[in-house]
Amino acid sequence: MDNDWKHRLGVVYSTNPDFKYEQAPQSEEATLEPGRQRLTVRIDRRQRAGKQVTLVDGFVGTQEDLSALAKTLKTRCGVGGTAKDGQITIQGDLRDKVTALLVSLGYNAKRGN
């Protein structure tokens, strides 16, 4: 990871041969318990060639916990999807089913649009 150039974009070039670029480590937030999470389930069609996807926004926690929740939702719905940037994407219009599943798991979820 010493030569990961994507993290150094926008850094001015240094002519000092002893210069070492250091970046602060990013810390993830601790995962809130399900009752304190405020999740919004909505549908989206933008930039997806007209296909519908269900988005779950508002998750506060680590990437591992987000991926585990996404896997549970994908398995119970029987569809594909992904989890990144604090957002879960489920293929298809499954707002009602996903909201019901999240509520049954103890999350504070509401249906968006």
Side-chain angles (χ1 to χ4, degrees), residues 5 7-14 19 21:
W5 60 273
H7 294 291
R8 293 180 283 145
L9 288 177
V11 176
V12 177
Y13 179 74
S14 175
F19 179 76
Y21 178 76

Side-chain angles (χ1 to χ4, degrees), residues 19-58:
F19 179 76
K20 290 288 270 183
Y21 178 76
E22 297 176 8
Q23 80 181 49
Q26 296 179 355
S27 62
E28 291 186 90
E29 291 185 43
T31 304
L32 295 176
E33 59 264 8
R36 295 186 60 202
Q37 299 270 4
R38 296 183 55 102
L39 303 179
T40 304
V41 181
R42 61 187 176 93
I43 192 169
D44 190 29
R45 292 184 193 94
R46 278 184 247 137
Q47 299 177 351
R48 291 181 173 85
K51 303 281 198 283
Q52 298 176 345
V53 294
T54 303
L55 298 177
V56 180
D57 291 321

